Amino acid sequence: EPEVTQTPSHQVTQMGQEVILRCVPISNHLYFYWYRQILGQKVEFLVSFYNNEISEKSEIFDDQFSVERPDGSNFTLKIRSTKLEDSAMYFCATRAEAFFGQGTRLTVV
Amino acid sequence: AQKITQTQPGMFVQEKEAVTLDCTYDTSDQSYGLFWYKQPSSGEMIFLIYQGSYDEQNATEGRYSLNFQKARKSANLVISASQLGDSAMYFCAMRQGGSGTASKLTFGTGTRLQVTL
């Protein structure tokens, strides 16, 4: 069983729509990370989250992005108004980043 | 700033042979960690091996070993006895601080490995 489960595995959305990507760890973790990988490119850090607060964020993580831990177990990444360039694979990671979820492939049309 | 360089965009290896994937890094930190991940065509990111900057022994995990040369700032991945299932993209990554720290990973551009019969 994977350490981290991400849902959905694939999401197609229209430009300008809001999307919420979810990450569910199998056990209690304090640290969470979101990364994205635009097709054919390297993996880029978005944000780290510790003890219900953002601990670090990249320049990519602008005002259209937000992270939450709404119920103490799920961990979400929200993109408020999607753009075409947000199309990418989004990964959640935990436990000192050794364990990545299987990713959510987001396609913005 | 940290930087990871993978100079081999693609590599071929015959089944059952060993292959080395190169990774060099640049950091001014004394404490850091180096990771290798495998990304098959399905897209998931699979952790392979970890090396801490203070670890004296090279890390090994089954058929994977990490050839850590601190003075050269290199952390090459060696895959022994290649299998067809090893065909994938391989990423080298680095994190500031030792194990248990929370800082982000910086990734290289990856090497696509193709294992042939």
Side-chain angles (χ1 to χ4, degrees), chain B residues 38-58:
Chain B
K38 173 184 178 181
Q39 187 177 42
S41 56
S42 53
E44 73 261 39
M45 197 71 71
I46 302 167
F47 166 72
L48 295 178
I49 197 166
Y50 168 80
Q51 179 87 40
S53 57
Y54 292 118
D55 294 341
E56 294 184 355
Q57 303 278 347
N58 284 345

Side-chain angles (χ1 to χ4, degrees), chain A residues 20-56:
Chain A
I20 297 176
L21 312 182
R22 290 185 170 79
C23 173
V24 181
I26 193 171
S27 55
N28 208 15
H29 294 288
L30 293 177
Y31 292 103
F32 293 91
Y33 308 81
W34 283 100
Y35 292 83
R36 80 171 185 192
Q37 184 185 28
I38 294 172
L39 186 63
Q41 298 187 22
K42 66 179 180 181
V43 180
E44 301 173 294
F45 168 75
L46 288 175
V47 64
S48 58
F49 194 79
Y50 169 68
N51 205 23
N52 298 325
E53 287 185 358
I54 290 175
S55 59
E56 186 177 0

Side-chain angles (χ1 to χ4, degrees), chain B residues 78-96:
Chain B
V78 180
I79 305 174
S80 62
S82 298
Q83 302 171 355
L84 294 178
D86 294 334
S87 295
M89 195 75 166
Y90 288 81
F91 290 96
C92 179
M94 178 169 62
R95 181 192 61 208
Q96 282 177 290

Side-chain angles (χ1 to χ4, degrees), chain B residues 19-85:
Chain B
V19 63
T20 298
L21 306 184
D22 294 341
C23 173
T24 58
Y25 60 91
D26 189 20
T27 182
S28 56
D29 297 316
Q30 296 300 310
S31 178
Y32 50 89
L34 296 155
F35 297 76
W36 276 93
Y37 293 88
K38 173 184 178 181
Q39 187 177 42
S41 56
S42 53
E44 73 261 39
M45 197 71 71
I46 302 167
F47 166 72
L48 295 178
I49 197 166
Y50 168 80
Q51 179 87 40
S53 57
Y54 292 118
D55 294 341
E56 294 184 355
Q57 303 278 347
N58 284 345
T60 60
E61 289 286 346
R63 294 187 298 110
Y64 304 108
S65 60
L66 200 151
N67 184 2
F68 181 46
Q69 298 189 37
K70 198 169 181 178
R72 293 185 178 185
K73 293 190 174 179
S74 74
N76 298 338
L77 177 70
V78 180
I79 305 174
S80 62
S82 298
Q83 302 171 355
L84 294 178

Side-chain angles (χ1 to χ4, degrees), chain B residues 5-10 22-24 109-111:
Chain B
T5 302
Q6 295 180 255
T7 57
Q8 306 153 314
D22 294 341
C23 173
T24 58
T109 50
T111 295

